[in-house]
Amino acid sequence: MKNLISNIKDSLQPIDEINGFKVRPGFYLINGATAIRNGVNFTIHSFSATYCELLLFRKDESDPYAVLPFPDSYRIGNTFSMIVFDINIEELEYVYRMDGPYDKKKGLIFNKQHYLLDPYARAVTGQAEWGVKRKQKKNMYRARVVDDTFDWGDCPQPHLRFRDLIIYELHVRGFTYDISSGVKEKRRGTFAGVKEKIPYIKKLGVNAVELMPIFEFDEMEDVRVVDGVTLYNYWGYNTVGFFAPNTGYTSEREHNHEGRELKTLIKELHENGIEVILDVVFNHTAEGDERGPVFSFKGIDNNIYYLLTPDGHYYNFSGCGNSLNCNHPIVHQFILDCLRHWVIDYRVDGFRFDLAAIMGRNEDGSPMKNPPILEALAFDPILGKVKLIAEAWDAGGLYQVGSFPAWKRWAEWNGKYRDDLRCFLKGDGGMAKNAVMRITGSRDLYNPDHRGNNASVNFITCHDGFTLYDLYAYNEKHNEKNGWNNTDGDNCNNSWNCGIEGETDDPTVLALRKRLRKNAFATLMCSRGAAMFLAGDEFCNTQFGNNNAYCQDNITSWLDWTRLEQYKDMFDFCRFMISFRMAHNVIRRKTKQATCGYPDISVHNGSPWNENFSNDTRLIGIMYSGRTTDDTEDDMILILINTFWENLHMTLPNLPGGFTWNIAMDTWFDHEEGTDYNKLTERHDNNLVVKPRSVIILNSVRNDAAQRMGQ
């Protein structure tokens, strides 16, 4: 459509004049503001508005230099569209004002005094300098027209198989803002800073980055000072502009070219075989509830964009004041347009939907069996190859892990994997059976016949909660610095401090914590389903026990890269485990059956083929069997996990003739490249001693290979 405009724009001529500006009816199917050679096409729609006007501003000026009412003849249906000629986009900022009925009980709150941000704005002004209050009056967001041309060349997208994903969740600012990141000062905390770290990301071995919210948000929303420290809306789960990248994440001002630095980052990640997944928030907006500002949707069609109670108040299934009415046809179309924009213009590879259960609610707040928006995203041709990942719960109590409407397209953050594995790995009783089920693909939740084989994103840590280091250093959350008297954040972390709360010099406690961290990461890498972990876990980054660091724009949330050297053994271990996972297809998926006839997955709890569980079962064995990646021979992987505080003994299952078991890794010992665990681990023929709270991974090797390795 943009090319169509480009081809015919020279022939367009004004036919009217409004307040000294030459105008004509615009392109009604092109939402937002689109530059043409001799003007700008402005289009916006409202179901209930009776009047609309366009306001034009110059940068940093409080008052508009032009107010252009849309004539009745410039409205078709509920859509207002107008081309304004002879205006320079480099000098231009714009908003709308609308008028219409006012009846709060019906959710109609039109007020001609409100300046309204274009929902389809490609750039939001006044946001580029992080942590600085806008010069304009409160709640006055303006849009800018963007020249979004970008040469993607012939760089292909990776299109990785879902089961092969190793997802690295990161916050763009926190990833490189600390000086220890080594990123050039001007690029710290920006898209360009992440780009500088691509060699590191590639060296680690991950093949997908999941960026926490990068849609335009206002970090100054609810800014406050606690004990002398300024607290911001740092995470960014308070979207202001859904089509606009966060200009506070750029190292250079991109006036009228917003998005270029992000596109450059995505292009280079793709060139290195790394996919980009965006964490998107379609469950609520930054307008909040009745006490919140009116700057966009509320002033355009409040009773359409938000879920409202019968008396006109806001349903708050998000915990953030309001909930988007995702299954209304207008909101449905808006979300679809938005995601298509990020796939077409930014070549994004996937989306993780925050509190996605809200997207399945009806207009009365009740869950829908087949939500239209979720079905539409599943079958949309533009989104046909992108990953769709749901956080399958919301703050209103709707929990859909394992039951999220999917059409074999939607995957889920597997919250039950996180919870069950945390409990089992710290030694809780009665969790062994659940742990085996989670590690082997959560088949009780994701029946392949109904969900396909791409449903589970396994994780033990994410941005919301403890880091991996803190998971084994704290029994309790320590969120006092957030200013809410430690009442915020989850109270149920399933964590264990190993006997001492927080930092310690006790060598026994430190050794145990190190082992537990490695146990968790090794288990994650040996689980069926996509794997995800939090950036910094690979070098023991800490948030000092804060499990809800949403407001901490400081070293609490920034990665401390000095720990990369301090905990180099953990980094090397993570690299090894990622490499091991990628080298063995049988871990990630069902392959051709092994010629020896062993099943794809089998359980060996202490002895071969023992599938019995009791409340005291704390040694589990899981064997994957199949064929190697090149289909040249059988491949067997055996994972042994001992969560008991004493030695436990494992009799290894027999391998077919010509093969023997090789110990690839044992977390009881420090990991260094080239470590021969076969010489370190206590083994008597086919009997293995699994040390307390440790994980051993074995793989099948041919006898001649075993002899060369010195077994």
Side-chain angles (χ1 to χ4, degrees):
M1 189 66 77
K2 291 179 182 178
N3 289 335
L4 174 63
I5 293 177
S6 178
N7 291 336
I8 67 175
K9 59 192 174 186
D10 290 336
S11 64
L12 294 174
Q13 298 296 324
I15 61 174
D16 292 312
E17 185 173 305
I18 300 176
N19 293 338
F21 287 82
K22 296 177 180 179
V23 300
R24 67 170 294 136
F27 294 92
Y28 291 84
L29 293 177
I30 306 297
N31 291 305
T34 306
I36 61 177
R37 187 170 299 173
N38 53 344
V40 178
N41 180 83
F42 295 94
T43 302
I44 192 169
H45 54 79
S46 170
F47 185 83
S48 298
T50 58
Y51 173 85
C52 181
E53 60 187 14
L54 171 69
L55 283 67
L56 305 181
F57 296 80
R58 293 186 179 89
K59 186 176 182 294
D60 295 333
E61 292 187 0
S62 297
D63 298 318
Y65 70 85
V67 178
L68 306 177
F70 285 81
D72 289 342
S73 59
Y74 284 43
R75 177 176 184 170
I76 295 179
N78 300 318
T79 302
F80 303 87
S81 190
M82 176 166 54
I83 295 174
V84 183
F85 292 87
D86 302 323
I87 55 176
N88 184 351
I89 67 170
E90 294 183 1
E91 301 173 354
L92 173 70
E93 298 177 0
Y94 74 97
V95 298
Y96 294 99
R97 284 194 300 217
M98 289 185 173
D99 203 1
Y102 188 91
D103 186 339
K104 288 191 71 173
K105 289 187 176 180
K106 293 182 179 180
L108 300 168
I109 56 172
F110 285 97
N111 184 335
K112 192 182 174 183
Q113 302 306 311
H114 287 141
Y115 286 3
L116 304 177
L117 178 68
D118 181 359
Y120 284 82
R122 264 51 172 188
V124 180
T125 68
Q127 303 288 107
E129 193 170 352
W130 180 277
V132 176
K133 290 185 178 181
R134 295 183 303 281
K135 295 180 181 179
Q136 296 85 14
K137 64 183 180 180
K138 186 178 180 182
N139 301 327
M140 183 179 165
Y141 297 102
R142 299 176 184 169
R144 182 177 290 127
V145 185
V146 174
D147 176 3
D148 58 0
T149 55
F150 184 82
D151 184 7
W152 288 96
D154 61 354
C155 178
Q157 292 180 241
H159 293 309
L160 302 175
R161 291 173 296 190
F162 184 86
R163 60 179 174 264
D164 294 337
L165 291 181
I166 300 176
I167 303 170
Y168 189 63
E169 188 196 27
L170 65 86
H171 186 282
V172 170
R173 181 171 172 86
F175 190 58
T176 63
Y177 195 76
D178 191 68
I179 192 172
S180 64
S181 69
V183 168
K184 292 180 181 178
E185 183 176 1
K186 191 175 182 179
R187 298 176 183 171
R188 284 165 40 199
T190 68
F191 297 126
V194 177
K195 180 171 171 284
E196 276 197 36
K197 285 293 187 180
I198 290 177
Y200 169 85
I201 295 171
K202 193 171 182 179
K203 180 180 179 181
L204 179 58
V206 299
N207 55 21
V209 294
E210 182 173 307
L211 304 179
M212 290 173 64
I214 58 88
F215 292 2
E216 190 66 81
F217 65 88
D218 189 355
E219 73 281 358
M220 301 301 291
E221 182 188 39
D222 299 326
V223 66
R224 55 204 166 90
V225 177
V226 174
D227 295 332
V229 177
T230 302
L231 302 182
Y232 301 91
N233 203 314
Y234 168 78
W235 277 354
Y237 291 93
N238 62 325
T239 310
V240 169
F242 287 82
F243 284 71
N246 187 354
T247 49
Y249 285 167
T250 59
S251 62
E252 303 279 353
R253 293 293 178 91
E254 296 183 322
H255 195 84
N256 301 119
H257 297 283
E258 283 82 358
R260 183 169 293 177
E261 190 168 306
L262 175 57
K263 291 176 182 177
T264 300
L265 167 63
I266 293 172
K267 183 178 180 181
E268 185 144 336
L269 285 166
H270 285 172
E271 288 172 346
N272 284 274
I274 300 169
E275 292 197 341
V276 177
I277 298 169
L278 300 186
D279 190 344
V280 295
V281 186
F282 289 108
N283 58 76
H284 75 283
T285 77
E287 287 188 298
D289 58 17
E290 294 85 353
R291 298 163 294 179
V294 177
F295 64 79
S296 187
F297 298 117
K298 283 183 179 179
I300 295 171
D301 269 321
N302 180 62
N303 63 336
I304 285 178
Y305 283 100
Y306 295 110
L307 293 175
L308 302 180
T309 65
D311 59 356
H313 292 284
Y314 295 89
Y315 280 117
N316 186 17
F317 301 118
S318 66
C320 298
N322 64 51
S323 303
L324 274 174
N325 187 11
C326 298
N327 288 291
H328 188 286
I330 289 176
V331 188
H332 172 144
Q333 187 61 49
F334 174 80
I335 294 172
L336 194 58
D337 289 343
C338 179
L339 296 178
R340 286 172 170 175
H341 162 70
W342 290 99
V343 171
I344 294 170
D345 289 357
Y346 286 84
R347 308 294 172 90
V348 167
D349 304 285
F351 302 95
R352 176 265 185 187
F353 294 80
D354 182 65
L355 298 182
I358 289 176
M359 298 177 70
R361 289 186 181 268
N362 207 338
E363 292 193 57
D364 62 359
S366 61
M368 305 176 75
K369 183 177 181 181
N370 295 305
I373 182 60
L374 301 182
E375 184 177 19
L377 299 184
F379 291 102
D380 183 73
I382 293 295
L383 307 181
K385 291 187 180 296
V386 302
K387 281 78 175 176
L388 303 174
I389 303 169
E391 184 182 38
W393 56 84
D394 65 25
L398 183 56
Y399 189 81
Q400 295 179 304
V401 172
S403 62
F404 192 80
W407 295 275
K408 293 190 177 181
R409 276 283 282 124
W410 283 86
E412 301 171 17
W413 267 24
N414 191 344
K416 291 186 178 180
Y417 179 97
R418 173 197 60 199
D419 299 341
D420 288 348
L421 262 297
R422 282 186 177 192
C423 290
F424 176 69
L425 290 171
K426 71 184 179 72
D428 288 358
M431 295 303 300
K433 186 174 182 179
N434 283 8
V436 169
M437 186 64 73
R438 299 293 156 254
I439 293 168
T440 57
S442 293
R443 291 164 291 170
D444 58 331
L445 301 176
Y446 308 114
N447 185 319
D449 293 336
H450 299 104
R451 295 298 301 269
N453 296 304
N454 300 317
S456 181
V457 175
N458 301 323
F459 68 104
I460 295 175
T461 59
C462 64
H463 70 275
D464 192 1
F466 283 146
T467 67
L468 184 59
Y469 180 88
D470 291 356
L471 187 64
Y472 298 113
Y474 297 92
N475 278 355
E476 308 294 336
K477 64 184 182 182
H478 294 271
N479 300 353
E480 292 83 1
K481 291 185 177 181
N482 292 354
W484 308 116
N485 296 317
N486 207 32
T487 59
D488 62 307
D490 197 347
N491 293 317
C492 184
N493 296 284
N494 297 315
S495 61
W496 182 38
N497 64 16
C498 299
I500 298 175
E501 187 75 356
E503 297 299 323
T504 179
D505 294 327
D506 187 309
T508 302
V509 172
L510 292 177
L512 177 56
R513 289 178 178 179
K514 177 195 290 189
R515 204 156 65 248
L516 291 176
R517 292 192 296 266
K518 291 181 177 179
N519 291 351
F521 198 87
T523 301
L524 177 65
M525 289 300 126
C526 288
S527 298
R528 286 272 173 97
M532 185 191 78
F533 64 98
L534 179 64
D537 279 351
E538 73 275 16
F539 54 76
C540 301
N541 194 62
T542 180
Q543 292 180 170
F544 313 105
N546 192 321
N547 76 347
N548 187 36
Y550 75 99
C551 56
Q552 299 291 335
D553 182 29
N554 50 58
I555 196 58
T556 300
S557 290
W558 304 338
L559 294 198
D560 179 0
W561 291 84
T562 64
R563 296 173 76 91
L564 177 59
E565 182 60 33
Q566 183 180 357
Y567 294 96
K568 185 177 182 300
D569 64 320
M570 183 66 185
F571 173 77
D572 290 342
F573 177 81
C574 291
R575 280 188 67 205
F576 168 80
M577 282 308 312
I578 291 171
S579 176
F580 186 84
R581 173 182 175 86
M582 297 309 294
H584 295 277
N585 253 355
V586 294
I587 296 176
R588 307 192 305 280
R589 68 178 180 90
K590 183 176 182 179
T591 67
K592 291 182 180 179
Q593 186 176 24
T595 58
C596 66
Y598 284 173
D600 172 41
I601 297 172
S602 53
V603 178
H604 310 264
N605 292 338
S607 59
W609 313 103
N610 176 18
E611 298 184 14
N612 296 319
F613 296 92
S614 72
N615 192 64
D616 295 328
T617 299
R618 286 185 171 83
L619 173 61
I620 61 173
I622 298 169
M623 184 166 70
Y624 298 121
S625 301
R627 301 288 289 173
T628 56
T629 302
D630 58 7
D631 197 26
T632 57
E633 62 181 31
D634 288 351
D635 191 18
M636 275 71 74
I637 303 293
L638 179 62
I639 304 105
L640 306 177
I641 305 174
N642 178 11
T643 64
F644 196 52
W645 44 89
E646 295 179 2
N647 289 345
L648 292 177
H649 296 264
M650 174 70 194
T651 301
L652 301 176
N654 291 323
L655 287 173
F659 285 91
T660 192
W661 286 113
N662 168 62
I663 302 174
M665 190 280 300
D666 185 342
T667 61
W668 183 261
F669 303 101
D670 286 341
H671 177 83
E672 294 182 13
E673 190 172 349
T675 300
D676 187 351
Y677 295 103
N678 293 283
K679 293 181 178 179
L680 297 174
T681 304
E682 187 177 348
R683 180 175 182 178
H684 308 282
D685 297 323
N686 237 26
N687 295 298
L688 207 61
V689 176
V690 187
K691 292 291 187 179
R693 302 190 188 276
S694 64
V695 173
I696 297 176
I697 299 175
L698 304 97
N699 66 295
S700 59
V701 295
R702 289 195 172 276
N703 287 331
D704 54 352
Q707 291 173 1
R708 289 196 299 272
M709 291 189 294
Q711 292 186 35

